[in-house]
Amino acid sequence: MNQVLNGDTVIGEGGRLIVRDPDGDPVFETGQSPVGDYFTRMRRDDGALALTIGANSYPDDDAPSQMVRLWSRAGDIIVMDDYYADGWLGRPSLPVPWQSTGSTVNHSGGLATAWLAYIRAQNPVLVLRTQTATTASSASVEFQISNLSRGGGYQTIDSWSVTAGPATLHTITHPFDGCEHFNDLQMRIRHSTSGTGLVTTDVLGAYTRNTFSATEVPTAP
């Protein structure tokens, strides 16, 4: 018998379905893994992983819950849901585009918006790197987020001071606390000067990424 034309084929009680290529490498497996979870795994002809669903996709894999992962030919995970944060995209990392304003360069005086960004949250953690230079005695910079999906106003996430002299680099790593996947977020960077002088803030780059530890899981809304 080599056909199933009607009805179900059932593999249960810890069994597995395995499809092997002519060399004996398993290219498709599904069922219960040796460690107990139920999984699906697809490989290329050479045995390299291609797609996995489960908690144990490779030796010593200790994923806390079943994950969906897509693998490159070189063996790197290029698409996955987040390892620690349920409901979030883990990979790929996504760039955050920023728009400058008329106050980005050579601003003087009170707080003014230098940069604006608008995204739909996919990854759970934001990484933002800025550079600020001032000719004033000092300048202040702040980063804020507004969760538009929840009707909230701007919340200050981080603020820092800059003194005259070489440009000051600043990096923010921020889990999207109080947010859920696919929330609409508007972000802004504002700066000001103390006394006479000018301030310029540049966004060197920004992206969202997966969590690196359980401590980076965003808090619930």
Side-chain angles (χ1 to χ4, degrees):
M1 180 177 178
N2 58 10
Q3 292 182 323
V4 178
L5 302 178
N6 190 20
D8 301 324
T9 297
V10 178
I11 299 173
E13 299 182 6
R16 285 183 291 171
L17 173 65
I18 301 176
V19 178
R20 300 183 185 275
D21 66 12
D23 296 327
D25 295 320
V27 294
F28 178 78
E29 301 170 78
T30 190
Q32 188 173 21
S33 75
V35 298
D37 72 313
Y38 284 82
F39 75 105
T40 298
R41 182 182 303 152
M42 298 179 66
R43 297 179 181 269
R44 297 177 173 85
D45 281 346
D46 61 0
L49 290 171
L51 173 68
T52 60
I53 304 172
N56 297 274
S57 298
Y58 53 90
D60 301 321
D61 182 10
D62 60 350
S65 59
Q66 291 206 318
M67 297 176 64
V68 177
R69 288 176 274 197
L70 182 66
W71 301 72
S72 72
R73 291 190 299 274
D76 297 315
I77 302 170
I78 54 178
V79 177
M80 70 179 190
D81 46 8
D82 196 85
Y83 187 94
Y84 294 104
D86 293 341
W88 291 84
L89 175 69
R91 296 182 187 178
S93 293
L94 299 177
V96 177
W98 287 83
Q99 306 299 320
S100 61
T101 72
S103 298
T104 301
V105 178
N106 293 335
H107 170 70
S108 180
L111 278 171
T113 299
W115 294 90
L116 287 166
Y118 171 77
I119 65 169
R120 178 162 281 178
Q122 296 269 24
N123 307 106
V125 180
L126 170 73
V127 179
L128 168 65
R129 187 164 175 82
T130 65
Q131 175 178 278
T132 302
T134 184
T135 59
S137 58
S138 66
S140 297
V141 190
E142 65 180 22
F143 167 66
Q144 298 179 314
I145 296 179
S146 175
N147 189 339
L148 301 181
S149 294
R150 299 187 173 276
Y154 279 105
Q155 303 293 318
T156 299
I157 304 304
D158 194 7
S159 59
W160 59 101
S161 297
V162 177
T163 57
T168 297
L169 296 172
H170 189 78
T171 301
I172 296 170
T173 301
H174 174 67
F176 285 128
D177 291 333
C179 299
E180 293 180 321
H181 175 256
F182 239 44
N183 278 184
D184 290 315
L185 305 180
Q186 186 155 306
M187 299 176 284
R188 69 184 181 186
I189 299 170
R190 302 197 299 174
H191 56 192
S192 64
T193 59
S194 177
T196 59
L198 304 172
V199 62
T200 296
T201 299
D202 296 312
V203 172
L204 302 182
Y207 61 90
T208 57
R209 62 160 172 82
N210 60 296
T211 57
F212 289 168
S213 67
T215 60
E216 289 190 327
V217 176
T219 60

